[in-house]
Amino acid sequence: MPTPVMEQQQSERRPGRPVGAALSVVIPVYNERDTIHSALERVRALDVDLELIVVDDASTDGSRELLEAEPGIVLVKHAQNQGKGKAIRTALEHVTGDVVAIQDADLEYDPEDLLRLMAPIVAGEARVVYGSRFLNGRPPMALPNYICNRLLAWTTNILYGARITDEATCYKLFDARLLRSIPLTCRRFEFCPEVTAKVLRRGERIVELPIVYTPRTFDAGKKIRWWDGVIALWTLVKFRFLP
């Protein structure tokens, strides 16, 4: 039988159904055969008016064939691999919900966090909410990844006068109208620094809430590499000074 403490923790972890707001979850997919079905099942379990928009970025491992059999999703297919950022931009063309969330096709992030993250947007308290992997202490990631993530957050705060702890988090949620109004040019992993830079340059406040994070290894399919961190830093600098 759950104790009062357990019941309180579950209540904090699983907020009630958002009233009058639809959530569009954008999922870019490239060669994620082993995890995509589980990721979709976790998102489908959310108690919310939900739209699932999945972009297969020319997978070659059978992911596309699995997605074609998945019910209840909007599936968009790229004929050629174009990168995560381009896949997100493609998905945004199909968004009809009030709030947009970015969800990776692996199992590093827990979709149960999404309802709590969208709550400030639904309540009109913010238009941008990030799920931070660092608000509850250091997550179990490799030291080089930890240093790179801290450097990206520090650079963002210095360049844009922000006060965030996790610029590179996947869990970024936006008021849909705001996100559609931002001209994005990203093609790969630079979606994160580009959208962060352009949101902050508009004077928007980024609200952060803690999330659960379970990193995977490169052997398990993690795709981001060290040079993507260099590109992310350059992107933050570039959009601080370019129109």
Side-chain angles (χ1 to χ4, degrees):
M1 177 180 296
T3 66
V5 172
M6 290 174 61
E7 290 176 349
Q8 180 180 2
Q9 289 174 340
Q10 290 172 356
S11 175
E12 292 173 352
R13 185 87 172 89
R14 298 174 180 172
R17 179 183 179 91
V19 178
L23 175 64
S24 294
V25 179
V26 168
I27 307 180
V29 177
Y30 178 63
N31 290 349
E32 297 288 1
R33 177 186 176 88
D34 293 338
T35 57
I36 182 57
H37 177 72
S38 295
L40 288 170
E41 287 295 288
R42 291 186 183 186
V43 177
R44 285 194 188 101
L46 298 177
D47 184 18
V48 66
D49 183 1
L50 182 67
E51 177 180 58
L52 269 169
I53 304 173
V54 182
V55 178
D56 180 74
D57 195 27
S59 293
T60 59
D61 70 339
S63 294
R64 175 168 296 190
E65 290 73 19
L66 289 177
L67 289 169
E68 289 172 340
E70 288 284 350
I73 67 172
V74 177
L75 176 60
V76 186
K77 306 171 189 176
H78 281 174
Q80 296 179 329
N81 180 257
Q82 301 184 61
K84 179 179 180 178
K86 183 64 171 77
I88 291 172
R89 289 165 51 202
T90 296
L92 292 178
E93 298 172 5
H94 301 270
V95 162
T96 64
D98 305 293
V99 179
V100 180
I102 310 302
Q103 169 76 48
D104 281 346
D106 56 37
L107 304 176
E108 288 191 326
Y109 293 79
D110 187 347
E112 283 191 7
D113 285 322
L114 290 177
L115 297 189
R116 186 165 47 83
L117 293 175
M118 73 181 289
I121 300 177
V122 175
E125 299 168 357
R127 295 209 290 173
V128 184
V129 177
Y130 283 11
S132 173
R133 297 166 290 175
F134 301 99
L135 284 177
N136 284 336
R138 178 179 168 178
M141 61 173 58
L143 181 60
N145 292 7
Y146 176 79
I147 292 172
C148 182
N149 275 279
R150 304 310 291 149
L151 180 59
L152 288 169
W154 178 83
T155 301
T156 300
N157 295 337
I158 292 296
L159 288 175
Y160 297 91
R163 302 179 71 177
I164 63 174
T165 63
D166 195 357
E167 186 283 321
T169 178
C170 166
Y171 268 0
K172 293 175 164 64
L173 282 75
F174 306 88
D175 175 283
R177 291 168 297 182
L178 171 65
L179 186 56
R180 282 195 295 264
S181 72
I182 297 174
L184 296 171
T185 61
C186 52
R187 298 196 66 85
R188 287 180 43 79
F189 294 107
E190 73 275 15
F191 165 79
C192 286
E194 180 182 7
V195 77
T196 298
K198 291 183 175 180
V199 159
L200 291 172
R201 284 193 59 173
R202 288 193 176 196
E204 294 289 341
R205 179 173 64 100
I206 297 176
V207 171
E208 286 190 316
L209 294 173
I211 58 171
V212 174
Y213 177 64
T214 307
R216 65 174 174 171
T217 64
F218 292 112
D219 289 339
K222 194 172 185 68
K223 296 178 177 65
I224 197 165
R225 294 295 189 267
W226 66 266
W227 54 83
D228 292 303
V230 175
I231 294 171
L233 285 170
W234 165 241
T235 302
L236 288 169
V237 173
K238 177 176 66 174
F239 286 116
R240 175 61 182 87
F241 301 105
L242 290 181

